[in-house]
Coordinates of all heavy atoms in Angstrom, one line a residue:
N77 N -8.4 -12.8 10.6 CA -9.1 -13.7 11.6 C -8.3 -13.7 12.9 O -8.9 -13.6 14.0 CB -9.3 -15.1 11.1 CG -10.4 -15.1 10.0 OD1 -11.1 -14.2 9.8 ND2 -10.3 -16.2 9.2
L78 N -7.0 -13.8 12.9 CA -6.2 -13.8 14.0 C -6.3 -12.5 14.8 O -6.4 -12.5 16.0 CB -4.7 -14.1 13.7 CG -3.7 -14.3 14.8 CD1 -4.1 -15.5 15.7 CD2 -2.3 -14.5 14.2
A79 N -6.2 -11.4 14.1 CA -6.4 -10.1 14.8 C -7.7 -10.0 15.5 O -7.8 -9.6 16.7 CB -6.3 -9.0 13.7
M80 N -8.8 -10.4 14.9 CA -10.1 -10.4 15.5 C -10.1 -11.3 16.7 O -10.7 -10.9 17.8 CB -11.2 -10.8 14.5 CG -11.4 -9.7 13.5 SD -12.6 -10.0 12.1 CE -13.4 -11.5 12.5
R81 N -9.5 -12.5 16.6 CA -9.5 -13.4 17.8 C -8.8 -12.9 19.0 O -9.2 -13.2 20.1 CB -8.9 -14.7 17.4 CG -9.8 -15.7 16.7 CD -9.4 -17.1 16.7 NE -8.0 -17.4 16.9 CZ -7.2 -17.9 15.9 NH1 -7.7 -18.1 14.8 NH2 -5.9 -18.1 16.2
V82 N -7.8 -12.0 18.8 CA -7.1 -11.5 20.0 C -7.7 -10.1 20.4 O -7.1 -9.4 21.2 CB -5.6 -11.4 19.8 CG1 -5.0 -12.8 19.6 CG2 -5.2 -10.5 18.6
G83 N -8.7 -9.6 19.7 CA -9.4 -8.4 20.1 C -8.8 -7.2 19.5 O -9.1 -6.0 19.9
A84 N -8.0 -7.3 18.4 CA -7.5 -6.2 17.7 C -8.5 -5.9 16.5 O -9.1 -6.8 16.0 CB -6.1 -6.4 17.2
M85 N -8.5 -4.7 16.1 CA -9.3 -4.4 14.9 C -8.6 -4.6 13.6 O -9.2 -5.2 12.7 CB -9.8 -2.9 15.0 CG -10.7 -2.6 16.1 SD -11.1 -0.8 16.2 CE -11.8 -0.5 14.6
G86 N -7.4 -4.3 13.5 CA -6.7 -4.4 12.3 C -5.3 -5.0 12.4 O -4.8 -5.3 13.5
F87 N -4.7 -5.2 11.2 CA -3.4 -5.8 11.1 C -2.6 -5.1 10.0 O -3.1 -5.0 8.9 CB -3.6 -7.3 10.7 CG -2.4 -8.1 10.7 CD1 -2.3 -9.2 11.6 CD2 -1.4 -7.9 9.8 CE1 -1.1 -10.0 11.5 CE2 -0.2 -8.7 9.8 CZ -0.1 -9.8 10.6
T88 N -1.5 -4.5 10.3 CA -0.7 -3.9 9.4 C 0.4 -4.8 8.9 O 1.2 -5.3 9.8 CB 0.0 -2.6 9.9 OG1 -1.0 -1.7 10.3 CG2 0.9 -1.9 8.9
I89 N 0.5 -5.1 7.6 CA 1.5 -6.0 7.1 C 2.5 -5.2 6.3 O 2.2 -4.3 5.5 CB 0.9 -7.0 6.1 CG1 -0.1 -7.9 6.9 CG2 1.9 -7.9 5.4 CD1 -0.9 -8.9 6.1
D90 N 3.8 -5.4 6.6 CA 4.9 -4.8 5.8 C 5.2 -5.7 4.7 O 5.9 -6.7 4.8 CB 6.1 -4.6 6.8 CG 7.3 -4.1 6.1 OD1 7.2 -3.6 4.9 OD2 8.4 -4.2 6.7
L91 N 4.8 -5.3 3.5 CA 5.0 -6.2 2.3 C 6.4 -6.5 2.0 O 6.7 -7.6 1.6 CB 4.3 -5.5 1.1 CG 2.8 -5.4 1.1 CD1 2.4 -4.6 -0.2 CD2 2.1 -6.7 1.1
A92 N 7.3 -5.6 2.3 CA 8.7 -5.8 2.0 C 9.3 -6.9 2.9 O 10.3 -7.5 2.6 CB 9.5 -4.5 2.2
S93 N 8.7 -7.1 4.1 CA 9.2 -8.1 5.0 C 8.8 -9.5 4.8 O 9.3 -10.5 5.4 CB 8.9 -7.7 6.5 OG 7.5 -7.9 6.7
L94 N 7.8 -9.7 3.9 CA 7.2 -11.0 3.6 C 8.3 -11.9 2.9 O 8.8 -11.6 1.9 CB 6.0 -10.9 2.7 CG 4.8 -10.2 3.3 CD1 3.7 -10.1 2.2 CD2 4.3 -11.0 4.5
P95 N 8.5 -13.1 3.6 CA 9.4 -14.0 2.9 C 8.7 -14.7 1.7 O 7.5 -15.1 1.9 CB 9.8 -15.0 4.0 CG 8.7 -14.9 5.0 CD 8.1 -13.5 4.9
L96 N 9.3 -14.7 0.6 CA 8.6 -15.3 -0.6 C 9.5 -16.4 -1.2 O 10.7 -16.3 -1.2 CB 8.4 -14.2 -1.7 CG 7.6 -13.0 -1.3 CD1 7.5 -12.0 -2.5 CD2 6.2 -13.4 -0.8
L97 N 8.8 -17.4 -1.8 CA 9.5 -18.4 -2.5 C 10.0 -17.9 -3.8 O 9.5 -16.9 -4.3 CB 8.6 -19.6 -2.8 CG 8.2 -20.4 -1.6 CD1 7.0 -21.3 -1.9 CD2 9.3 -21.2 -1.0
S98 N 11.1 -18.5 -4.3 CA 11.7 -18.1 -5.6 C 10.7 -18.0 -6.7 O 9.9 -19.0 -6.9 CB 12.8 -19.0 -5.9 OG 13.4 -18.7 -7.2
G99 N 10.7 -16.9 -7.5 CA 9.8 -16.8 -8.7 C 8.4 -16.3 -8.5 O 7.7 -16.1 -9.4
V100 N 8.0 -16.1 -7.2 CA 6.6 -15.8 -6.9 C 6.2 -14.4 -7.6 O 5.2 -14.3 -8.2 CB 6.4 -15.8 -5.4 CG1 5.0 -15.1 -5.1 CG2 6.4 -17.2 -4.9
T101 N 7.0 -13.4 -7.4 CA 6.6 -12.1 -7.9 C 6.5 -12.1 -9.4 O 5.5 -11.5 -9.9 CB 7.7 -11.0 -7.4 OG1 7.8 -11.1 -6.0 CG2 7.2 -9.6 -7.8
S102 N 7.4 -12.7 -10.1 CA 7.3 -12.8 -11.5 C 6.1 -13.5 -12.0 O 5.6 -13.2 -13.1 CB 8.6 -13.3 -12.1 OG 8.8 -14.7 -11.7
L103 N 5.7 -14.5 -11.3 CA 4.5 -15.2 -11.7 C 3.2 -14.3 -11.6 O 2.4 -14.3 -12.5 CB 4.3 -16.5 -10.9 CG 5.3 -17.6 -11.1 CD1 5.1 -18.7 -10.1 CD2 5.3 -18.1 -12.5
F104 N 3.2 -13.6 -10.5 CA 2.0 -12.6 -10.3 C 2.1 -11.6 -11.4 O 1.1 -11.2 -12.0 CB 2.0 -12.0 -9.0 CG 1.5 -12.9 -7.9 CD1 2.3 -13.1 -6.8 CD2 0.3 -13.5 -8.0 CE1 1.8 -14.0 -5.8 CE2 -0.2 -14.4 -7.0 CZ 0.6 -14.6 -5.9
E105 N 3.3 -11.1 -11.7 CA 3.5 -10.1 -12.8 C 3.0 -10.6 -14.1 O 2.5 -9.9 -15.0 CB 4.9 -9.6 -12.9 CG 5.3 -8.7 -11.7 CD 6.8 -8.5 -11.6 OE1 7.6 -9.0 -12.4 OE2 7.2 -7.7 -10.8
A106 N 3.2 -11.9 -14.3 CA 2.7 -12.6 -15.6 C 1.2 -12.9 -15.6 O 0.7 -13.4 -16.6 CB 3.5 -13.9 -15.8
G107 N 0.5 -12.5 -14.5 CA -0.9 -12.7 -14.4 C -1.4 -14.0 -14.0 O -2.6 -14.4 -14.1
I108 N -0.5 -14.8 -13.4 CA -0.8 -16.2 -12.9 C -1.3 -16.1 -11.5 O -0.6 -15.4 -10.6 CB 0.3 -17.1 -13.1 CG1 0.7 -17.3 -14.5 CG2 0.0 -18.5 -12.4 CD1 2.0 -18.0 -14.8
T109 N -2.4 -16.7 -11.2 CA -2.9 -16.8 -9.8 C -3.6 -18.2 -9.7 O -3.9 -18.9 -10.7 CB -4.0 -15.8 -9.4 OG1 -5.1 -15.9 -10.3 CG2 -3.4 -14.4 -9.5
S110 N -3.8 -18.6 -8.5 CA -4.4 -19.9 -8.2 C -6.0 -19.7 -8.3 O -6.5 -18.6 -8.4 CB -4.1 -20.4 -6.8 OG -4.8 -19.7 -5.9
S111 N -6.7 -20.8 -8.4 CA -8.1 -20.8 -8.5 C -8.8 -20.2 -7.3 O -9.9 -19.6 -7.4 CB -8.7 -22.2 -8.8 OG -8.3 -23.0 -7.7
L112 N -8.2 -20.2 -6.1 CA -8.8 -19.6 -4.9 C -8.4 -18.2 -4.6 O -8.9 -17.5 -3.7 CB -8.4 -20.5 -3.7 CG -9.0 -21.9 -3.6 CD1 -8.5 -22.6 -2.4 CD2 -10.5 -21.8 -3.6
H113 N -7.5 -17.6 -5.4 CA -7.0 -16.3 -5.2 C -8.1 -15.2 -5.1 O -8.1 -14.5 -4.1 CB -6.0 -15.9 -6.3 CG -5.3 -14.7 -6.1 ND1 -4.0 -14.6 -5.6 CD2 -5.6 -13.4 -6.3 CE1 -3.6 -13.3 -5.5 NE2 -4.6 -12.6 -5.9
E114 N -8.9 -15.1 -6.1 CA -9.9 -14.1 -6.1 C -10.9 -14.2 -4.9 O -11.3 -13.3 -4.3 CB -10.7 -14.1 -7.4 CG -11.6 -12.9 -7.6 CD -12.2 -12.9 -9.0 OE1 -11.6 -13.5 -9.9 OE2 -13.3 -12.3 -9.1
Q115 N -11.3 -15.5 -4.6 CA -12.2 -15.7 -3.5 C -11.6 -15.3 -2.2 O -12.2 -14.7 -1.3 CB -12.5 -17.2 -3.4 CG -13.4 -17.6 -2.3 CD -13.6 -19.2 -2.4 OE1 -13.6 -19.8 -3.4 NE2 -13.8 -19.7 -1.2
N116 N -10.3 -15.5 -2.0 CA -9.6 -15.1 -0.8 C -9.5 -13.6 -0.7 O -9.7 -13.0 0.4 CB -8.2 -15.7 -0.8 CG -8.1 -17.2 -0.5 OD1 -9.1 -17.7 0.0 ND2 -7.0 -17.8 -0.7
Q117 N -9.3 -12.9 -1.8 CA -9.3 -11.5 -1.9 C -10.6 -10.9 -1.4 O -10.6 -9.9 -0.7 CB -8.8 -11.0 -3.2 CG -8.5 -9.6 -3.3 CD -7.8 -9.2 -4.6 OE1 -7.7 -10.0 -5.5 NE2 -7.3 -8.0 -4.7
F118 N -11.7 -11.4 -1.9 CA -13.0 -10.9 -1.6 C -13.4 -11.1 -0.1 O -14.3 -10.4 0.4 CB -14.1 -11.4 -2.5 CG -14.0 -10.9 -3.9 CD1 -14.1 -11.8 -5.0 CD2 -13.9 -9.5 -4.2 CE1 -14.0 -11.3 -6.3 CE2 -13.8 -9.1 -5.5 CZ -13.9 -9.9 -6.5
A119 N -12.7 -12.0 0.5 CA -13.1 -12.4 1.9 C -12.4 -11.5 3.0 O -12.6 -11.7 4.1 CB -12.8 -13.8 2.2
V120 N -11.6 -10.5 2.5 CA -10.8 -9.7 3.4 C -11.1 -8.3 3.3 O -11.3 -7.8 2.1 CB -9.2 -10.0 3.1 CG1 -8.4 -9.1 4.0 CG2 -8.9 -11.4 3.3

Side-chain angles (χ1 to χ4, degrees):
N77 291 342
L78 186 61
M80 289 176 9
R81 277 201 334 250
V82 298
M85 292 176 58
F87 186 118
T88 298
I89 297 175
D90 175 13
L91 294 176
S93 71
L94 293 176
L96 303 179
L97 291 167
S98 174
V100 167
T101 304
S102 61
L103 293 173
F104 284 125
E105 287 170 355
I108 297 171
T109 60
S110 75
S111 59
L112 292 176
H113 186 99
E114 190 173 336
Q115 179 181 331
N116 288 345
Q117 192 168 5
F118 288 132
V120 177

